[in-house]
Amino acid sequence: MSSLALMKPIKPAVVKKSATLIKARRSLTVGPSKPWLLRILGPGLITGASDDDPSGIATYSQAGAQVGFAIAWTMLFSYPLMVAIQQISARIGRTTGRGIAGNLRMHYPNWLLQLIVILLFIANTFNIGADLGAMADALRLLIGGWHLLYVVFLGAFCAVLQIFLQYARYVAVLRWLTLILLAYFGTVMVVEIPWHQAAQGLLIPTFSSDAAFWTTVVAILGTTISPYLFFWQAAQEAEDIRELPQRKPLVKAPTQAPDAVERIRLDTYLGMAFSNLVALAIIVATAATLHAKGILNVESSSQAAEALRPIAGPFAFTLFALGIIGTGLLAVPVLAGSAAFALGEARKWPVGLSRKPMEAKAFYATIALATITGAMINFSPIDPIKALYWSAVINGIIAVPVMAMMMLIADNQVIMGKFPVSVGLRFVGWTATATMAMAAVGMVVTALL
C-alpha cells in the first residue's frame, strides 16, 4: 500500500483545537492582541522605573555632584546584582503564586516575618513622605503655590489611583508613567557633556580612601537594591496569576514554565537596564554641570533641579523637575502597594489590586494608611531629608535578611517544586546578598564615624 493511501485527512476539529492551543500559549503573558514587547514588559519594567523615585534621584544627583564622573562605574557594577535578585523575586511569585511574605509565612519562623514586615512598612512610609515632599517641591518650583497643599493633593491622587482604578487600567497607567523617565535622557541631551570623561568614569572603576566616597557608594547600592522592589515584583507576578485565567502557578502548571521564565528574564533585564540608564543619565548630567561648577552638596532632588537652572538653562531645569513629579507618581503607589502586599500576606488578608475595595478592605486600608502617614510626615517637625536617611538605613538593614531568605526560598524544592533557580542565578544572587551585607556594615560604620 502506498504512503499516500495511509495518509488520512485531518479533521477540521483537530485543526481548530491546535490553533486554539497555539493561541493560548501565546497569550500566557498579557494577551494575544497586544504587541510582543508589551506582552513582555510588565512587573520588571515598572519595578525598575519605580526604583528611580525622587529619593533615588536625590541620591544619584548627590553622587554626580559630589564625586563627578568617577562614580558612574557603580551603575555597571550594580546592574547584574539588580537583575539577579529581581529575577529571583519574580520567579518566586510566578512559581508559587504567592509573594515573598506569603512564602515566609508558610515556611519560616513567624517572628522573622513580622519583624521584616514591620520594618518594611516603616521604611516605605518614610520613603513615601520624602517622595511626596520632593514632588511637591518640584511642582512649586514649576508653577508656584503652596508646598503642603501639593503634598495632600499628590498623596490623595496616588492613593485613589491604586484603590479605585481597575487593575488592568492601573497597570497600563504605571507602564505609561515609566516614559516620564525619558526626561532625564532629555536633560543629558541639552547639557554639554565631556563624553570621554563620562566613558572613562563608567568603564574604569575609580576608588578613593575618602569616607564620603564610600558613603556615596553605599547610598547608591542601597537605592538600587531595595526590599520594597523585591516584594513588589513578586507580588505582581502572583497578582497576574489571579488576574489572568490562562496563568497558573508553575508548581501546578509546569508546561507554562519555559514561556514564563523567559518572559521574566527579558522583562527584568530590560526593566533594570532602563532603571540604571536613567540613574546614569542623572549622574552624568549633575557631574557635567553641578560638579564641574563646584556645587558638591545636593540634599534633595528638587534642590538639584533648582541648581541646574542657572547652569544648564531653564529647559534642563524643567525636564528635571517634571521627571521628579512623574517618577513620584510611579514610585509612591509601588511603595504603598508593596507594604500592603507584605502586611496582607503576613496577616492572611485577601490581597490584590485586582480585587474591589470592599473585597480587600484591610489591604486597601493599608495602602491608604501608608500614603496618609507618609504625607503627614511633611506636616511634622521631622526633617524630610532625615526621614529619607533613616528609611535608607532601615532598608539597608532589612535588605540583607530579606535577600538571604529569598535565596533560601528560591533553592527550596518543597516551595519551588521542579523550578528552583539555576546555579548561575544563585551565585549572582548570593553575591548580591554579600555585597549588600558589606554595604550595610559600611553604612553603620560611616554613620558612627
Side-chain angles (χ1 to χ4, degrees), residues 128 156-167 170 174 232 236 331-338 340-341 352-355 357 363-364 367-368 371:
I128 288 170
F157 180 77
C158 290
V160 168
L161 186 74
Q162 271 189 300
I163 295 171
F164 295 106
L165 195 63
Q166 185 185 14
Y167 177 71
Y170 171 71
L174 291 182
W232 174 260
Q236 286 305 287
V332 169
V334 171
L335 284 159
S338 64
F341 274 111
L353 295 167
S354 59
R355 298 180 188 270
F363 171 76
Y364 285 111
I367 290 175
T371 307

Side-chain angles (χ1 to χ4, degrees), residues 101 113-114 116-128 162 227-233 235-236 331-347 349 351 353 362-371 395 398:
L113 168 65
Q114 300 302 329
I116 287 173
V117 168
I118 291 171
L119 290 175
L120 178 75
F121 185 87
I122 294 171
N124 284 14
T125 300
F126 276 114
N127 213 330
I128 288 170
Q162 271 189 300
Y228 79 90
L229 301 174
F230 318 152
F231 283 88
W232 174 260
Q233 191 163 353
Q236 286 305 287
V332 169
V334 171
L335 284 159
S338 64
F341 274 111
L343 185 60
E345 287 189 331
R347 305 297 298 174
W349 294 338
V351 299
L353 295 167
F363 171 76
Y364 285 111
T366 303
I367 290 175
L369 177 63
T371 307
N395 273 322
I398 68 172

Side-chain angles (χ1 to χ4, degrees), residues 278-297:
V278 170
L280 180 61
I282 295 168
I283 290 173
V284 167
T286 52
T289 53
L290 305 185
H291 183 78
K293 295 294 183 180
I295 301 174
L296 306 182
N297 188 36

Side-chain angles (χ1 to χ4, degrees), residues 340-407:
F341 274 111
L343 185 60
E345 287 189 331
R347 305 297 298 174
K348 301 183 184 180
W349 294 338
V351 299
L353 295 167
S354 59
R355 298 180 188 270
K356 296 185 182 300
M358 298 306 292
E359 297 174 347
K361 297 177 184 178
F363 171 76
Y364 285 111
T366 303
I367 290 175
L369 177 63
T371 307
I372 292 170
T373 306
M376 292 305 296
I377 290 174
N378 291 273
F379 290 82
S380 72
I382 299 174
D383 184 352
I385 303 303
K386 290 184 178 179
L388 178 59
Y389 170 78
W390 284 110
S391 71
V393 170
I394 296 171
N395 273 322
I397 292 171
I398 68 172
V400 179
V402 171
M403 292 169 71
M405 296 310 299
M406 283 173 53
M407 296 308 303

Side-chain angles (χ1 to χ4, degrees), residues 22 49 62 139 152 213 283 294-295 324 371 378:
I22 293 172
Q62 173 64 20
L139 193 55
V152 173
F213 174 84
I283 290 173
I295 301 174
I324 294 169
T371 307
N378 291 273

Side-chain angles (χ1 to χ4, degrees), residues 49-54 128 131 228 326-336:
S50 67
D51 189 26
D52 296 319
D53 67 329
I128 288 170
D131 283 353
Y228 79 90
T327 57
L329 291 174
L330 175 65
V332 169
V334 171
L335 284 159

